């Protein structure tokens, strides 16, 4: 298994030679797109025009207080605010704008208020590498405590006494592998290691239950999970396993108190249920327990992918996906196997998801509705009747949803599998084969990305007669667990053929000679694969932070995410896995014949797709077709910047304007 790799030298990200190379790439991108500056500014102005000058989220309740985040006029980042029921004063607990340093970049990792509402735990990343500095703020004085945990990850939980905080730490490969406990007022050097995960395929996460009774810790690989709980009232007690660990078995845990007073856990699991089922078990307090303690609560429904359960006093809310759409089901705790009340999406071709709900004893649950053309609407839904009461509607100045159409189609894959696609267009844009289209796809991790989400950038495409097409290919989660299984490991090629089939199948509805395509990360791999395998199909390809050097990356266990990803892509140390990965790896399979225009993005500090992957791919593509190489651009962030682009609402929409300006320019009639 020997492969030539002439650009292996690019893997040294601290090399002055590579840094100079990346700077030159960025300069070439800026120069080559200079003629689009006016269009970029026009698009950016339009997009920002759909964002209200001031904005806020729906509030969530915690013991006599309402919390919410707001975006002040002219500012990039949000504030966390609090309103007490017995006061007319609005308190600013945290202003992220004030955390920006000379790098100009800031991203909030977590912000968790303590149960007694006197403390705020918050963490900040200032480079885009997802290494967060954890601090603790006294909410009565507004001052931060001196103790700082310098290398933390997402997720955290308070003890019920508000004096201890649990957090995760990642290793040099950016794998969260430890849970630590910090005592307020004590040096961080005295923090206590609560749990360590030695298996490099697994990552640790942590949260508190809504009831406040437990801290939940879980270790997760791509297809296996183990859960532990810690008594939040006794934070120094050891974590106890809820069901042990069995290869291929996943489960999630939520705490409730049943009508008969039984303290119990509800688990969503794929144990003997491909699309998951609901079981219950005791709370382990004195010792670990295994799956023999589980008892059935709700049987698997093969046409519904059960995703999660949220527990409240008297009710459970199930999140599930059916016929590609996300829905909710409200069930009394004493009738968990019944039909309950199904909460359908409030918008056509939209999605409904559970919103911020921190009050275990609430009689309503906050839900969020949105679609590609409808901004989010938050509603309170009665847990008893299912009646909806609107709480907050996000404004989108100048946007009229009635001017657009969102519809679903399906096209057959080469093996006959129907592939769902969502088409979004301006009402005046016909589906008669004359309109250009921008395709979008992801197709990995059983994720639906994005999931019918409002995006203030998209109408700028639609208003110019472009049809937006989201192809829901195998490897994603649109069709449930079976949909993911059909597009991972040895079946990964299905992701790419599904996508090409979607483009082929819609060629009579949109202009088959003017198709562009876009995807990010694993979706960037999708773009790289269809660029190589079907270069004839596209006018232009946008591959954002693309995972394209598949074999090399998956052979290097020192790279962040490699070991944890073997269960998604394969382990190329095994000959069979090596062969199927090599067969589709974009870096190893440059296209033959004419190529479409290509825009690639990357970020020097990206810990998910290292910058050398897109850099090597671009260099390889230029080498194999020098005449085409000026039509290949690499937009690389050489300073602070994240996996998903710039942080902040204005900066991110400016980035979107750049991408869309390039796409629109490529899709112009006659621009072959």
């Amino acid at each position: 298994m020997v492969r030539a790799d002439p650009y292996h030298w690019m893997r040294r990200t601290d090399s002055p030679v590579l840094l100079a190379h990346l700077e030159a790439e960025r300069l070439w991108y800026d120069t080559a797109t200079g003629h689009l500056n006016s269009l970029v500014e026009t698009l950016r102005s339009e997009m920002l025009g759909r964002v209200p000058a001031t904005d806020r989220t729906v509030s969530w309740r915690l013991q006599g207080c309402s919390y919410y985040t707001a975006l002040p006029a002219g500012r990039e980042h949000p504030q966390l605010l609090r309103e007490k029921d017995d006061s007319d004063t609005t308190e600013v607990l945290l202003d992220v704008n004030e955390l920006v340093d000379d790098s100009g970049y800031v991203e909030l990792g977590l912000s968790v208020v303590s149960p007694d509402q006197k403390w705020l735990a918050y963490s900040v990343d200032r480079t885009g590498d997802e290494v967060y500095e954890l601090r603790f703020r006294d909410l009565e004085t507004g001052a931060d405590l001196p103790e700082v945990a310098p290398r933390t990850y997402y997720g955290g939980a308070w003890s019920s006494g508000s004096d201890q905080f649990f957090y995760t730490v990642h290793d040099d490969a950016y794998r969260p592998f430890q849970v630590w406990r910090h005592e307020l007022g004590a040096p961080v050097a005295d923090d206590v290691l609560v749990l360590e995960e030695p298996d490099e395929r697994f990552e640790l996460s942590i949260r508190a239950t809504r009831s406040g009774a437990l801290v939940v810790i879980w270790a997760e690989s791509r297809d296996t999970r183990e859960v532990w709980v810690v008594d939040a009232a006794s934070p120094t007690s050891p974590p106890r396993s809820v069901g042990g660990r069995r290869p291929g078995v996943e489960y999630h845990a939520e705490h409730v108190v049943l009508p008969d007073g039984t303290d119990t856990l509800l688990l969503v699991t794929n144990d003997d249920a491909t699309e998951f089922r609901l079981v219950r078990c005791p709370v382990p307090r004195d010792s670990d327990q295994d799956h023999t303690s589980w008892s059935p609560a709700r049987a698997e429904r093969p046409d519904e992918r059960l995703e999660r359960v949220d527990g409240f006093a008297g009710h459970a809310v199930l999140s599930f996906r059916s016929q590609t759409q996300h829905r909710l089901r409200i069930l009394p705790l004493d009738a968990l196997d019944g039909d309950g009340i199904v909460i359908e999406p409030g918008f056509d071709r939209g999605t409904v998801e559970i919103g911020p709900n921190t009050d275990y004893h609430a009689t309503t649950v906050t839900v969020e509705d949105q679609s590609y053309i409808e901004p989010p609407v938050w509603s309170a839904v009665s847990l008893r009747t299912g009646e909806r009461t609107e709480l907050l509607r996000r404004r989108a100045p100048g946007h009229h949803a009635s001017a657009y159409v969102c519809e679903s189609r399906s096209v057959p894959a080469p093996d006959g599998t129907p592939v769902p696609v969502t088409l979004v267009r301006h009402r005046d844009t016909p589906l008669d084969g004359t309109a250009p289209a921008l395709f979008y796809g992801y197709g990995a991790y059983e994720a639906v990305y994005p999931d019918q989400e409002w995006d203030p950038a998209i109408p700028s495409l639609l208003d110019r007669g472009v049809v937006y097409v989201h192809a829901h290919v195998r490897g994603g989660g649109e069709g449930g667990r079976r949909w993911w299984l059909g597009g991972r490991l040895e079946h990964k090629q299905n992701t790419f053929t599904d996508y090409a089939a979607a483009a082929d199948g819609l060629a009579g509805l949109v202009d088959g000679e003017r198709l562009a395509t876009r995807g990010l990360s694993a979706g960037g791999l999708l773009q790289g694969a269809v660029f190589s395998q079907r270069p004839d199909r596209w006018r232009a390809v946008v591959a954002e932070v693309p995972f394209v050097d598949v074999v090399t990356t998956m052979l290097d266990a020192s790279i962040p995410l490699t070991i944890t990803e073997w269960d998604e892509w394969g382990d190329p140390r095994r000959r069979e896995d090596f062969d199927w990965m090599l067969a589709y790896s974009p870096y190893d399979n440059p296209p033959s014949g004419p190529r479409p225009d290509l825009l690639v993005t990357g970020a020097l500090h990206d810990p998910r797709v290292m910058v050398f992957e897109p850099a090597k791919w671009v260099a390889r593509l230029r080498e194999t077709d020098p005449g085409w190489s000026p039509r290949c651009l690499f937009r690389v962030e050489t300073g602070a910047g994240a996996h998903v682009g710039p942080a902040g609402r204005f900066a991110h929409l400016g980035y979107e304007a750049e991408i869309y300006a390039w796409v629109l320019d490529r899709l112009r009639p006659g621009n072959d």
Side-chain angles (χ1 to χ4, degrees):
M1 296 190 293
V2 177
R3 296 159 53 242
D5 189 359
Y7 297 103
H8 189 78
W9 62 271
M10 290 187 176
R11 291 163 53 84
R12 287 193 54 197
T13 54
D14 60 348
S15 163
V17 176
L18 176 64
L19 295 176
H21 174 79
L22 297 179
E23 293 283 358
E25 285 282 14
R26 183 55 188 255
L27 179 60
W28 167 238
Y29 164 80
D30 291 338
T31 301
T33 58
H35 67 290
L36 299 176
N37 288 345
S38 177
L39 178 57
V40 169
E41 286 306 309
T42 298
L43 293 171
R44 180 177 180 274
S45 177
E46 291 176 6
M47 295 170 185
L48 290 175
R50 298 185 194 98
V51 177
T54 60
D55 198 10
R56 59 162 290 172
T57 64
V58 71
S59 61
W60 59 92
R61 299 284 298 169
L62 185 63
Q63 298 179 6
C65 294
S66 295
Y67 293 84
Y68 61 96
T69 63
L71 275 165
R75 307 303 296 273
E76 285 274 16
H77 304 286
Q79 298 172 329
L80 174 63
L81 300 108
R82 176 170 68 184
E83 296 177 354
K84 296 181 179 179
D85 291 351
D86 59 0
S87 173
D88 295 330
T89 303
T90 299
E91 301 174 80
V92 179
L93 305 183
L94 183 70
D95 188 339
V96 180
N97 298 283
E98 295 179 354
L99 304 177
V100 180
D101 62 10
D102 293 341
S103 74
Y105 180 93
V106 66
E107 189 70 34
L108 198 63
L110 62 82
S111 57
V112 187
V113 177
S114 62
D116 64 6
Q117 302 184 88
K118 295 181 179 179
W119 304 97
L120 174 70
Y122 73 95
S123 63
V124 176
D125 166 23
R126 291 189 174 86
T127 65
D129 63 358
E130 299 182 58
V131 176
Y132 290 88
E133 184 181 80
L134 176 63
R135 292 180 175 271
F136 302 93
R137 176 163 295 186
D138 184 334
L139 294 182
E140 294 181 353
T141 67
D144 288 343
L145 296 181
E147 57 257 32
V148 177
R151 185 183 180 91
T152 67
Y153 206 53
Y154 303 104
W158 287 97
S159 65
S160 58
S162 301
D163 59 338
Q164 310 267 341
F165 189 77
F166 296 82
Y167 62 93
T168 57
V169 169
H170 44 29
D171 59 18
D172 291 339
Y174 293 81
R175 178 181 70 97
F177 76 118
Q178 293 176 333
V179 171
W180 290 77
R181 188 183 71 250
H182 175 72
E183 181 178 354
L184 285 189
V188 170
D190 294 342
D191 288 0
V192 176
L193 178 63
V194 176
L195 188 68
E196 182 169 354
E197 175 53 60
D199 191 330
E200 294 180 303
R201 297 172 301 168
F202 288 79
E203 298 181 350
L204 290 178
S205 300
I206 188 169
R207 67 176 178 86
T209 59
R210 183 176 289 103
S211 67
L214 300 172
V215 173
V216 180
I217 303 170
W218 65 97
E220 183 176 23
S221 72
R222 291 295 164 215
D223 62 1
T224 303
R225 181 181 285 210
E226 181 175 7
V227 178
W228 299 263
V229 294
V230 176
D231 187 337
S234 181
T236 60
S237 60
R240 301 297 187 186
S241 181
V242 170
R245 184 179 305 187
R246 290 176 289 156
V249 175
E250 301 174 51
Y251 59 100
H252 315 248
E254 176 70 310
H255 177 248
V256 294
V257 179
L258 297 176
D260 64 3
T262 304
D263 191 37
T264 193
L265 292 171
L266 298 179
L267 311 180
V268 172
T269 181
N270 68 336
D271 181 28
D272 198 29
T274 302
E275 299 299 338
F276 291 69
R277 63 187 175 110
L278 192 66
V279 303
R280 52 177 289 191
C281 71
V283 177
R285 297 196 182 276
D286 299 322
S287 62
D288 294 338
Q289 64 189 22
D290 62 22
H291 68 283
T292 59
S293 65
W294 299 358
S295 60
R298 181 181 181 83
E300 176 189 16
R301 299 194 176 189
D303 60 342
E304 296 181 1
R305 167 58 164 98
L306 180 59
E307 294 183 349
R308 64 182 267 181
V309 58
D310 285 88
F312 297 86
H315 291 84
V317 179
L318 304 184
S319 298
F320 68 98
R321 190 171 296 277
S322 177
Q323 297 176 331
T324 75
Q325 286 194 285
H326 198 270
R327 295 172 168 86
L328 303 174
R329 189 188 302 273
I330 301 173
L331 296 165
L333 290 179
D334 56 2
L336 291 172
D337 204 23
D339 291 334
I341 301 171
V342 175
I343 307 301
E344 299 282 353
F347 299 123
D348 184 39
R349 298 311 309 161
T351 187
V352 59
E353 295 182 325
I354 194 162
N357 294 275
T358 52
D359 185 359
Y360 179 71
H361 297 282
T363 57
T364 62
V365 58
T366 300
V367 304
E368 180 183 5
D369 281 288
Q370 61 181 316
S371 76
Y372 293 108
I373 59 177
E374 294 278 3
V377 174
W378 291 271
S379 304
V381 176
S382 169
L383 289 169
R384 185 175 61 85
T385 67
E387 181 181 359
R388 260 185 169 106
T389 302
E390 185 174 314
L391 298 173
L392 181 67
R393 181 178 293 263
R394 175 160 291 163
R395 294 174 292 121
H399 174 72
H400 303 285
S402 60
Y404 307 95
V405 178
C406 187
E407 55 196 285
S408 298
R409 303 288 177 100
S410 70
V411 296
D415 63 3
T417 301
V419 179
V421 293
T422 302
L423 293 89
V424 191
R425 60 187 172 90
H426 194 281
R427 191 170 294 278
D428 295 337
T429 300
L431 292 178
D432 61 0
T434 61
L438 173 63
F439 280 68
Y440 191 94
Y442 190 72
Y445 306 117
E446 200 182 351
V448 182
Y449 178 76
D451 190 4
Q452 278 89 322
E453 295 177 3
W454 159 251
D455 182 346
I458 288 179
S460 289
L461 284 181
L462 309 182
D463 291 347
R464 288 169 172 80
V466 178
V467 179
Y468 183 87
V469 181
H470 189 171
H472 306 291
V473 295
R474 278 175 284 185
E478 289 89 339
R481 174 51 59 95
R482 290 176 175 85
W483 202 245
W484 174 55
L485 295 175
R488 77 187 272 242
L489 297 175
E490 71 269 24
H491 304 299
K492 190 61 196 172
Q493 181 59 36
N494 286 334
T495 303
F496 315 135
T497 53
D498 283 0
Y499 199 73
D504 291 338
L506 296 181
L509 300 178
V510 296
D511 185 350
E513 299 300 316
R514 289 195 293 155
L515 302 184
T517 178
R518 180 185 187 186
L520 181 146
S521 194
L525 165 63
L526 171 58
Q527 305 313 310
V530 298
F531 176 86
S532 291
Q533 297 176 18
R534 288 297 306 277
D536 60 304
R537 182 72 276 174
W538 315 104
R539 175 77 67 85
V541 175
V542 181
E544 297 173 89
V545 289
F547 168 49
V548 283
D549 191 9
V550 180
V551 176
T552 306
T553 291
M554 289 294 103
L555 280 171
D556 188 347
S558 70
I559 294 178
L561 304 180
T562 288
I563 295 175
T564 60
E565 300 282 298
W566 282 338
D567 290 331
E568 178 74 25
W569 311 106
D571 182 351
R573 296 174 304 176
R574 298 190 293 256
R575 182 72 209 202
E576 182 182 9
D577 297 27
F578 177 90
D579 289 342
W580 81 55
M581 297 168 76
L582 185 66
Y584 68 72
S585 172
Y587 180 69
D588 295 286
N589 295 278
S592 58
R595 303 177 179 184
D597 292 353
L598 178 65
L599 172 58
V600 181
T601 73
L604 181 61
H605 296 289
D606 184 357
R608 296 182 179 269
V609 175
M610 308 299 283
V611 72
F612 50 71
E613 285 211 42
K616 288 175 60 179
W617 186 46
V618 166
R620 180 76 182 275
L621 290 174
R622 289 193 177 132
E623 173 203 359
T624 54
D625 192 342
W628 164 86
S629 64
R631 295 164 54 195
C632 175
L633 302 180
F634 185 21
R635 185 195 185 280
V636 58
E637 297 282 3
T638 56
H643 183 64
V644 294
R649 57 173 172 170
F650 303 131
H652 191 75
L653 285 177
Y655 168 81
E656 289 293 300
E658 287 185 49
I659 300 296
Y660 282 170
W662 185 84
V663 168
L664 288 167
D665 185 58
R666 298 300 88 200
L667 291 179
R668 283 188 295 110
N671 193 2
D672 297 321

